[in-house]
């Protein structure tokens, strides 16, 4: 292991990289890739991609628009709003430097999502002629071509996949400023039938939406498919939840937001109507109604055992579960905001047309069951220039409690501290909840999190947190009450050309021993080192080394991965190349490295075993309207003759995919 670390340090010192102008490259430094794997990141990246496509005009922005950016804390949002109110109109993006709470790294990320435009008078309802004249159309067509066959692709006895092996999707969207947006997304996963079986309308999934914003007292209206965030996610959050490092940056603020669902994802959205209305200067009302189909695994008596979120419909078994259950949701929030103080009352009611009866195993004893569910909460917050607090307290229809509360203190201009406490009763359940936690659900957890962010100089940023959680009731693979500990230390230097980052994370989780008689600690240590530099306006390189050491199956499992990324730009052409070598003892020692891809395709794959990953992506822009992208990627394994298992098994030691995307914009 020591020689691997020495090799990694030598590689990072000798190789160079570049902090690209892509928002994804800056944003990934703000997240931990492990959080992406746990599902926190993809929905967030999808939503931010929409903001990048239609950036925020600082001279006409609102507090609600800025709160849609998860990396901004409540203090930072208030400071930006106050600065705009006092000094509007803003003349240059450089004026953000005048806002003391915005550190260098946050400003660097924020600049991808905002711009300085003219301050135009707005009609309550825009003219149709203006909408047609100044609206923007965007069409994105994507496809993935695998140059291999999976076992499910070649079985001809009806037990394999019902469709061809290609994945593709089409997205159309119309935008008029930040006020009108509508669109349609059609998506097909590899192996799913196309214009056949239950997909007689063509694609397996369609997402359609209409969003109106800033229409007088009607602040927002969503029709079709949409997502809802309320408070800190204890009763309703169908968008995303922040990971532990991201929570430190945002200082655990609460959010009330409606967003259109433009994703190819078939999980965690609502379908119907949602609106936010300004009742008075300080009062807002949000209400929503939804009716949508779901996939479920059924019990023999016709009740639902498990609600499925992956939404794959490739085989006869998977297709038989498509839309076999229906869900109805009603809810809303009424809130009061005066300056930096806010309080909201939230409620969600959910009904299924089938009884939900989970599998009768110990760790699911308190899982949600029945056909009717109600959750009510109050979220609150208050911020000053030096300190702030926010939180949410909720109960379900069984009067079980869940509460999360944060406090942050800006001790000096350079040092900020944050304390977060959460308590989720084992009997608390909320079907649409998604919030901060060590566990995978808002249930059966009691924890304390302490974080610190220190900027000793303009170009240096140090971040650290420690988190302890206790689970009073058995969980999956844990048959007794258990504990978990998580700590991270990260330091980053952002110079004019150089960017250096080092990150260490230690986690200790408890699992059953082989006899299931007692618990044993499973420590995990992860190290990441990254170096970046700008060679020239055309050339850039990036180097990264990851190492892991974890205790699993009664022995230490180790792994290392070294990656190199290069970018070349010339006029309308951009070329990205990536190569990564990995060597791990097992899946428990898996490693992750970010890989640039086409728009709306976010790659944070896990690598384990021994192999080499390399890819090349070429992007060509034809004027300002047309962009074509092709990406060729291969993963070679040196320690196996087949890849995967079951119907996903590939009878080779390597797999190659081609990604294609065409983007058309019409202004």
């Amino acid at each position: 292991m020591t020689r691997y670390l020495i090799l990694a340090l030598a590689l990072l010192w000798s190789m160079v990289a570049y902090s690209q102008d892509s928002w994804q490259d800056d944003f990934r430094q703000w997240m931990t890739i492990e959080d992406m794997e746990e599902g926190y990141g993809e929905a967030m990246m999808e939503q931010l991609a929409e903001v990048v496509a239609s950036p925020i005009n600082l001279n006409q922005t609102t507090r609600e628009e800025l709160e849609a950016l998860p990396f901004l804390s409540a203090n930072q949002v208030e400071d930006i709003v106050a600065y705009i109110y006092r000094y509007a109109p803003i003349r240059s993006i450089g004026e953000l430097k005048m806002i003391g709470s915005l550190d260098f790294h946050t400003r660097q990320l924020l600049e991808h999502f905002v711009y300085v435009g003219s301050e135009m008078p707005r009609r309550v309802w825009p003219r149709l002629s203006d909408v047609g004249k100044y609206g923007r159309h965007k069409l994105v067509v994507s496809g993935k071509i695998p140059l291999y066959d999976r076992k499910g692709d070649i079985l001809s006895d009806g037990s394999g996949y019902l469709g061809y092996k290609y994945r593709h999707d089409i997205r159309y969207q119309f935008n008029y400023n930040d006020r009108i947006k509508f669109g349609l997304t059609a998506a097909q996963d590899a192996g799913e039938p196309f214009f056949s079986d239950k997909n007689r309308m063509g694609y397996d999934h369609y997402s359609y939406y209409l969003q109106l914003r800033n229409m007088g007292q009607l602040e927002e209206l969503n029709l079709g498919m949409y997502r809802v965030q309320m408070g800190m996610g204890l009763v309703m959050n169908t968008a995303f939840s922040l990971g532990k490092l991201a929570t430190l940056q945002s200082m655990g603020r609460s959010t009330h937001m409606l967003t259109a669902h433009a994703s190819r994802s078939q999980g965690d959205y609502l379908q119907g109507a949602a609106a936010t209305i300004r009742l008075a200067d300080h009062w807002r009302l949000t209400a929503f109604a939804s009716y949508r189909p779901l996939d479920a695994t059924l019990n023999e008596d016709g009740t639902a055992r498990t609600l499925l979120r992956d939404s794959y419909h490739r085989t006869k078994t998977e297709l038989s579960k498509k839309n076999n259950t229906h869900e109805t949701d009603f809810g809303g929030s009424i809130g009061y905001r005066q300056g930096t103080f806010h309080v909201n009352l939230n409620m969600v009611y959910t009904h299924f047309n089938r009884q939900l009866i989970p599998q009768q195993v110990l760790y699911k004893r308190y899982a949600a069951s029945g056909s009717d569910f109600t959750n009510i909460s109050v979220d609150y917050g208050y911020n000053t220039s030096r300190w702030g607090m926010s939180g949410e307290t909720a109960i379900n229809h069984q009067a079980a409690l869940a509460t999360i509360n944060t406090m942050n203190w800006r001790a000096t201009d350079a040092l900020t501290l944050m304390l977060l406490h959460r308590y989720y009763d084992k009997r608390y359940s909320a079907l649409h909840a998604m919030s901060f936690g060590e566990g995978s659900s808002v249930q059966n957890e009691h924890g304390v999190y302490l974080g610190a962010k220190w900027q000793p100089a303009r170009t240096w940023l140090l971040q650290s947190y420690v988190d302890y959680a206790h689970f009073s009731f058995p969980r999956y693979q844990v048959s007794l009450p258990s504990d978990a500990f998580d700590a991270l230390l990260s330091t980053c230097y952002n110079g004019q050309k150089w960017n250096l980052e080092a990150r260490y994370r230690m986690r200790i989780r408890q699992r059953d021993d082989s006899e299931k008689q007692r618990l044993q600690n499973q420590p995990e240590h992860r190290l990441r080192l990254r170096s970046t530099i700008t060679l020239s306006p055309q050339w850039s390189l990036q180097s990264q080394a990851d190492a892991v050491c974890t205790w699993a199956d009664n022995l230490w499992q180790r792994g290392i991965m070294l990656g190199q990324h290069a970018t070349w730009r010339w006029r309308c052409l951009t070329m990205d190349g990536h190569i990564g070598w990995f060597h791990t003892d097992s899946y428990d020692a898996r490693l992750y490295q970010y890989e640039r891809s086409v728009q709306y395709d976010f790659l944070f794959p896990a690598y384990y075993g021994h192999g080499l990953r390399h890819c090349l992506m070429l992007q060509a822009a034809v004027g300002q309207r047309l962009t074509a992208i092709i990406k060729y990627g291969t993963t070679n394994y040196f320690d196996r003759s087949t890849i995967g298992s079951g119907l996903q098994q590939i009878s080779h030691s390597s797999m190659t995919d081609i990604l294609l995307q065409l983007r058309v914009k019409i202004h």
Side-chain angles (χ1 to χ4, degrees):
M1 189 67 182
T2 302
R3 67 177 183 272
Y4 289 152
L5 293 178
I6 294 174
L7 177 61
L9 288 170
L11 178 70
L12 288 169
W13 187 254
S14 61
M15 292 185 177
V16 287
Y18 170 64
S19 181
Q20 302 169 22
D21 59 0
S22 167
W23 67 271
Q24 297 181 39
D25 297 318
D26 288 336
F27 187 76
R28 67 193 172 101
Q29 298 181 27
W30 183 72
M31 295 282 295
T32 56
I33 291 184
E34 291 75 21
D35 290 333
M36 291 288 188
E37 182 220 9
E38 292 165 3
Y40 296 134
E42 187 168 347
M44 184 187 302
M45 299 284 273
E46 186 96 21
Q47 181 174 312
L48 290 178
E50 293 294 325
V51 181
V52 170
S54 301
I56 297 169
N57 181 358
L58 286 176
N59 282 318
Q60 289 191 311
T61 190
T62 62
R63 177 185 284 105
E64 289 72 24
E65 283 185 325
L66 295 173
E67 286 178 345
L69 302 175
F71 51 85
L72 292 178
S73 69
N75 286 339
Q76 290 170 336
V77 170
E78 291 296 338
D79 289 349
I80 295 172
V81 171
Y83 182 89
I84 295 172
Y85 177 79
R86 184 174 182 181
Y87 298 107
I90 294 179
R91 303 297 183 185
S92 168
I93 201 74
E95 289 188 47
L96 293 174
K97 296 178 182 179
M98 305 299 293
I99 302 175
S101 60
L102 291 180
D103 57 77
F104 174 82
H105 304 80
T106 304
R107 290 199 311 271
Q108 185 180 43
L109 184 55
L110 179 61
E111 289 176 6
H112 295 292
F113 302 92
V114 299
Y115 74 101
V116 175
S118 59
E119 188 177 15
M120 300 289 291
R122 291 187 176 185
R123 295 171 55 89
V124 174
W125 291 90
R127 297 187 182 93
L128 289 178
S129 58
D130 290 340
V131 173
K133 182 177 181 180
Y134 299 110
R136 294 175 294 175
H137 303 265
K138 182 173 72 170
L139 179 67
V140 180
V141 181
S142 305
K144 183 177 182 180
I145 304 172
L147 302 184
Y148 52 83
D149 290 319
R150 299 160 299 180
K151 184 177 180 181
D153 296 324
I154 58 179
L155 289 176
S156 57
D157 58 359
S159 61
Y161 295 146
L162 301 175
Y164 46 69
K165 62 183 181 179
Y166 310 108
R167 188 195 81 185
H168 51 94
D169 57 76
I170 300 175
R171 299 169 185 254
Y172 166 77
Q173 186 175 100
F174 173 86
N175 280 279
Y176 172 71
N177 294 334
D178 58 346
R179 306 184 67 187
I180 300 176
K181 178 169 70 174
F182 62 83
L184 175 69
T185 299
Q188 190 82 10
D189 286 314
E192 294 178 336
F194 191 55
F195 281 106
S196 62
D197 292 291
K198 286 189 176 182
N199 293 339
R200 298 189 183 278
M201 296 298 292
Y203 283 88
D204 182 71
H205 171 68
Y206 291 94
S207 178
Y208 54 93
Y209 53 91
L210 167 65
Q211 183 181 65
L212 304 178
R213 303 183 65 190
N214 301 318
M215 303 293 187
Q217 287 186 286
L218 179 63
E219 294 194 345
E220 185 160 350
L221 173 67
N222 281 268
L223 300 176
M225 297 180 178
Y226 58 92
R227 296 176 182 266
V228 179
Q229 285 181 287
M230 296 195 303
M232 300 187 74
L234 296 189
V235 301
M236 172 59 73
N237 182 6
T238 58
F240 53 79
S241 178
L242 298 179
K244 293 182 179 179
L245 189 60
T247 296
L248 176 60
Q249 179 70 27
S250 67
M251 292 297 158
R253 64 178 173 84
S254 61
T255 302
H256 281 256
M257 185 167 56
L258 302 176
T259 55
H261 176 69
S263 171
R264 60 176 290 123
S265 169
Q266 300 181 43
D268 295 324
Y269 67 85
L270 300 179
Q271 181 175 264
T276 297
I277 300 172
R278 185 175 72 251
L279 300 177
D281 287 344
H282 305 295
W283 290 90
R284 301 291 187 277
L285 172 67
T286 296
F288 62 87
S290 169
Y291 179 77
R292 59 158 298 191
L294 294 172
D295 297 356
T297 300
L298 304 182
N299 297 309
E300 293 183 359
D301 60 358
T303 58
R305 182 168 72 247
T306 306
L307 301 177
L308 303 176
R309 303 295 183 186
D310 58 21
S311 302
Y312 285 126
H313 306 123
R314 303 164 297 185
T315 65
K316 291 182 178 179
T317 301
E318 291 175 347
L319 203 58
S320 68
K321 301 175 183 179
K322 182 177 181 178
N323 300 342
N324 62 4
T325 303
H326 286 81
E327 172 187 338
T328 303
D329 294 282
F330 294 100
S333 171
I334 184 168
Y336 174 83
R337 180 188 290 271
Q338 175 68 52
T340 60
F341 169 77
H342 75 268
V343 60
N344 300 276
L345 176 64
N346 314 300
M347 189 277 291
V348 178
Y349 167 76
T350 300
H351 170 77
F352 292 107
N353 68 326
R354 299 178 185 270
Q355 288 279 330
L356 180 60
I357 308 295
Q359 184 181 7
Q360 298 302 302
V361 293
L362 179 61
Y363 69 90
K364 288 190 175 182
R365 177 179 296 178
Y366 296 103
S369 62
S371 60
D372 296 275
F373 306 87
T374 303
N375 296 86
I376 300 174
S377 78
V378 177
D379 73 89
Y380 34 83
Y382 178 74
N383 292 277
T384 71
S385 60
R386 283 294 177 184
W387 68 276
M389 61 82 62
S390 61
E392 183 176 11
T393 300
I395 59 172
N396 65 353
H397 59 287
Q398 297 176 327
L401 178 72
T403 184
I404 179 171
N405 296 276
T406 71
M407 290 195 67
N408 62 83
W409 176 42
R410 191 177 172 194
T412 68
D413 290 343
L415 177 64
T416 304
L417 303 175
M418 174 187 169
L419 176 66
L420 181 149
H421 171 265
R422 75 271 190 191
Y423 170 75
Y424 309 144
D425 191 283
K426 64 185 178 183
R427 297 176 296 116
Y428 182 81
S429 60
L431 295 169
H432 296 296
M434 190 188 304
S435 190
F436 180 94
E438 173 68 24
S440 58
S441 63
V442 181
Q443 188 178 43
N444 183 34
E445 182 171 340
H446 188 191
V448 178
Y449 169 100
L450 177 64
K453 186 170 66 170
W454 182 40
Q455 188 178 10
R458 185 184 69 86
T459 54
W460 283 95
L461 177 65
L462 282 77
Q463 298 180 95
S464 180
Y465 69 74
V466 292
D467 182 54
Y468 166 77
H470 174 72
F471 309 96
S472 62
F473 194 75
R475 303 189 298 147
Y476 179 65
Q477 295 185 335
V478 187
S479 56
L480 296 169
S482 60
D483 301 292
F485 178 80
D486 187 3
L488 180 140
L489 175 63
S490 172
T491 180
C492 182
Y493 168 80
N494 274 307
Q496 197 168 24
K497 290 188 175 182
W498 279 92
N499 177 292
L500 303 173
E501 182 183 359
R503 180 180 296 178
Y504 168 72
R505 187 178 190 181
M506 179 183 70
R507 304 180 76 178
I508 301 175
R509 288 180 275 190
Q510 293 184 314
R511 294 287 187 270
D512 288 332
D513 63 6
S514 56
E515 290 80 24
K516 295 188 177 182
Q517 298 297 316
R518 62 184 182 87
L519 299 181
Q520 61 179 8
N521 291 334
Q522 292 192 345
E524 177 184 274
H525 305 270
R526 290 185 178 271
L527 176 67
R528 173 171 301 146
L529 301 171
R530 183 161 51 216
S531 169
T532 63
I533 193 176
T534 303
L535 294 177
S536 70
Q538 292 78 35
W539 274 101
S540 57
L541 299 170
Q542 179 174 272
S543 303
Q544 181 173 316
D546 290 271
V548 62
C549 183
T550 184
W551 180 262
D553 297 327
N554 295 317
L555 54 90
W556 286 104
Q557 309 277 356
R558 298 177 176 84
I560 189 170
M561 184 168 185
L562 306 177
Q564 180 69 41
H565 182 92
T567 299
W568 173 75
R569 294 180 179 86
W570 182 74
R571 295 185 180 179
C572 62
L573 297 177
T574 302
M575 185 170 62
D576 286 278
H578 174 82
I579 185 169
W581 170 80
F582 55 93
H583 196 301
T584 77
D585 293 334
S586 68
Y587 178 77
D588 293 306
R590 61 193 179 277
L591 290 160
Y592 308 84
Q593 282 199 2
Y594 166 80
E595 183 179 306
R596 295 194 71 186
S597 189
V598 299
Q599 192 174 24
Y600 304 116
D601 191 66
F602 307 108
L603 291 181
F604 298 90
Y607 298 98
Y608 64 96
H610 186 199
L612 190 70
R613 168 67 178 176
H614 52 91
C615 62
L616 182 66
M617 184 171 72
L618 180 64
Q619 175 175 313
V622 182
Q624 297 182 346
R625 295 188 175 185
L626 181 65
T627 302
I629 306 173
I630 181 170
K631 179 182 177 182
Y632 180 94
T634 299
T635 305
N636 292 310
Y637 290 93
F638 307 141
D639 59 348
R640 67 197 72 174
S641 58
T642 61
I643 303 172
S645 60
L647 296 179
Q648 288 289 97
Q649 181 174 300
I650 302 168
S651 58
H652 302 285
S653 61
S654 66
M655 52 187 292
T656 299
D657 296 279
I658 297 176
L659 270 172
L660 302 170
Q661 186 174 91
L662 185 68
R663 302 200 300 261
V664 181
K665 295 181 180 180
I666 301 176
H667 298 279

